[in-house]
Amino acid sequence: MFRRQETSGSRGGNGRVSETHYDAAPIPEFDKRPAFIHILLLNKTIRLFVVLGLASVVIPVFAYLFFFSREIGHDSKRDIIGTCGHPTLYHIPCGYPSNLSQVECHQLGCCYTSLATCYHSLPSEHQYIIGTDWTSGTPAILSPYRAVTPYDRTALPEVRFDVFVAEDGEGGFRFLLSKMNGTVGTSASATGNTMRLETTDLMVEVYSPTFFIEVKRKADEEVIFSSARGPLIVTEEFIEWTLHLGADILFGLGRASLEPGYKYLLLNNLNSSAVPIVMGYNAKLKLYNGLIFNTPGLTEVEIVGSRLIVVRAQLGSSFDVQFLAGPTPAKLFLQSKAVLKNRYTPPYWAYGVHVCDQSPKRNLTHVRNDLELLLNDTIMFDSHCLHNDQFWISDTMTLGSELESLRQILWDAGKKFVPSLVLTVGYGGNPTFIDAREKGILLRHPGNLLAYQGRVRNRTAVYVDWRTTDRSGNLTEWLDLQWQKVANLAADGYTLEEVSPRDERNSSLPWPKQLLYQPDQLNDTLVDLLPWNTLLSDRSQLVLAQHNLLGVSALEAIQKRADPDSLLIAATFGINNRVAVLPANVSASWISLRSEVDRVIGLSVVGISFTGTPICGNAPLGAANASEELCIRWYQFGSLLPLFRVTADRTPNRFTRFARRVMHAALRKRFSLLEYLNTLILEDAAYLRPMFYHYEEAANFTTELWEQFLIGEALLVAPVLLPQMTQVAIYFPETFYELWSGQAMPGNDVLQYAVVESDLPMFLRPGFTVPLRDIVEELVQLENGTATPVTAELSRLKPLYLVGAFECNTRRWKCSTSGRMLLQTGFLLEFGAVLDERLVVSVQANVSTTERDTLRQLACSDQATLNVTIGSVQLYGHPNFSQPLLYEIEYDFCQQETKQLEFVNPHRKGPSDPFANTL
């Protein structure tokens, strides 16, 4: 009917009329006055406000329903203290989510979703109540909000809470939850209250009546730690606590990076150690902080999508959390070390190459042949274990003629004897077992309560309960007798094997809910350990509740009896143990190599420094899977770590001539760098450092960049961790210099760096100088005319030279570089160079006044074991010259403790600057 419509006007609030043209056919008359609804709908301004108004209501409702809530809801008959409509990133599983129905979930006081998952409300109904009469400096008594937990166990009716400020008044706080003996009543008040504790920069708030902890920065009131975003569940033998660091990126737990959505099982076994330290980075505040918590037994740490940290652990008498304030990675490291007190400085020869035969059959004839081959082929090594299954603590330790001759061969060649000591007790009629059984210090079978018999290294064995118990006197007396036998070995150190109890024939796995909380990956781990229901020696408590303490206590007991100058190596350790760390049962694969890099960085950054990697793996029968290229790359990475240990079937002479040459080159570079590495250990500084440690301005990029790292603060390393690589991507936050050639690498960029199989990319940071021993070949010429392979101790007889890279001011007319070398406690060398109109190079020795004579004897006597001469300095990064600069300085500590030399700067350009002295 309509042919065309033109709008020349419209009648609305302004009275204008719309003209519409029709066909000629007559049409009925109609009322042209618009209705009020039409006025509203046709007015653009009103229409806009109506749409915006509807959107402001509808969109949040739909967002809540479809993106955040998704829950069917609480049981309507119950009181609700929290909401189920919080984002899924903050959902904490409640009880056993895979088994609970909607009704069961609601009965627990939790939320249920259409995805059939059960999670805690926010705040959770599973919390504790604190009385309002609590004051800081005194303990508080907490009582549960709900008597029944999601794990079908009754909540502990009373929990004691204490809070302490770090000793330095700045480092952070310690929060302690512990069990109560007897009944101490504290009525909960309905009135909220906040208790405060403060340091220079931080403030703790403890909220009541519902117990929550928050730590805030005073400067901006930002919350950097909170326990308010999840449940606190405490039973007689279990605790679950949700903690938040306010962090966007997390690392720790023995790893360089923690992925959200993963669960980490902290249980000492063959392949890992319990490292209960989590640190994080807040991208908004650009600050770091961290947590240390105790893990005596089976512990699981879950990182949910929102970076909430959910700790589920077997509970002994207490559970404590230490908050580390940061705010920088360096401060975190220092605060962690102040808590751990685990500084370990073994003798210098411990940096050498350690070899151990771990073939399946213990054959001393085979060991002798391998040992003689190593010596005849002039392979570099410092110590040998003979065989890792030769010495059990329950053996008589009497050396037969064959063992004694092997030990003598080592000593005659200037090598150390570092046997493997198996800490498991052989079952049978041996006096060691009989005495341990009579003293009641063995772990027990849950059925007959007798000593549990397992299988270790194809032998029937029983297991010592190394913890401090009521029978600690019996344990001390028993171990003193065993150590008298161990002393017969006259060893230079020990590798402690089977520190954590293991059973090769274990097939006893728990059914669902036999344990209060059963992590998903637990059964895979229990296969390597004792049956889950094995009991402690002095109580009806599961070994799982104290399992992580067994190895820790064993190490502490051995350390009290071992020579303090000996080397101790162990696979299982605690964060407070002073021991060299080497994992066991690492397979020979590229995945394992990458995992080892991740592990060592994760340990170093939290304060566990003296560690190593089993070169090319150490899993039984794993050599067949080890490619030559893999072992070369493993040698290169392992050469950077304090501890270098390799099995006898993977020494350089077991490979082709090419591989042997590359492996020896890696070891020579290791011995060249040992003084720098030793300085880091003696100063108890962070050893391997992630890139964000020194480049916080690029933290958003560097926090998850773990395939390259810094050794100390001066060297950047990017090991090759994949097969057949021809180039590796390396991020340079500033201009770095290739360590051996001085080639400049452009800064603030990712460079595709070309590599061949013999390359280990290492770069020097501008502004730093490192000392290197002058080691150019494997052999050291002795005074009697013979030659012997280089060892860690012999490398110290080589002269030093310095390699430095200049850091220049903005106008690039004045540059400097400096470094330090701690040869021994009380014996420090400082050196550096300043480039201006002239080049000034200086070296200064700082020697302890009380030990000056002793230290000079080490370096200046006829029997000197320390060469403190510096022949030359090589400098990179001259602002007007691209080639390295080489200067002879001929420093000799014994002749002149302090020396300063000036050289002409032939490459200086431009007129003198009249304002030079003001800049």
Side-chain angles (χ1 to χ4, degrees), residues 532-671:
W532 69 275
N533 54 356
T534 307
L535 302 177
L536 297 172
S537 65
D538 59 343
R539 67 187 75 172
S540 59
Q541 189 179 34
L542 298 181
V543 170
L544 275 179
Q546 300 289 327
H547 180 87
N548 292 339
L549 294 181
L550 295 177
V552 171
S553 301
L555 292 177
E556 291 174 349
I558 298 299
Q559 281 178 314
K560 292 177 181 178
R561 291 160 177 83
D563 187 332
D565 293 328
S566 64
L567 170 65
L568 286 182
I569 305 173
T572 301
F573 68 100
I575 56 177
N576 301 105
N577 283 124
R578 296 181 175 94
V579 67
V581 179
L582 186 83
N585 201 34
V586 175
S587 62
S589 68
W590 290 97
I591 292 176
S592 294
L593 173 58
R594 293 171 63 84
S595 297
E596 283 295 280
V597 176
D598 181 28
R599 179 188 64 84
V600 175
I601 296 175
L603 293 180
S604 296
V605 77
V606 300
I608 301 169
S609 299
F610 208 99
T611 184
T613 176
I615 304 301
C616 209
N618 60 358
L621 304 177
N625 300 323
S627 70
E628 185 170 277
E629 182 188 6
L630 171 63
C631 288
I632 287 174
R633 297 305 188 192
W634 216 312
Y635 262 80
Q636 291 170 343
F637 169 64
S639 70
L640 307 172
L641 305 180
L643 182 65
F644 190 101
R645 191 169 187 259
V646 61
T647 57
D649 57 347
R650 296 166 214 188
T651 52
N653 58 325
R654 298 303 185 97
F655 298 91
T656 65
R657 289 185 178 180
F658 168 76
R660 174 174 171 172
R661 187 167 61 250
V662 174
M663 291 171 179
H664 270 190
L667 293 179
R668 286 199 308 273
K669 290 180 179 179
R670 170 183 178 79
F671 287 130

Side-chain angles (χ1 to χ4, degrees), residues 40-41 48 75 99 134 189 193 389 446 499 512 617 699 734 839 878:
L40 295 178
L41 293 177
L48 175 63
D75 189 334
N99 299 328
W134 176 72
S189 170
N193 191 24
D389 195 31
V499 178
E734 58 181 318
L839 173 67
H878 191 289

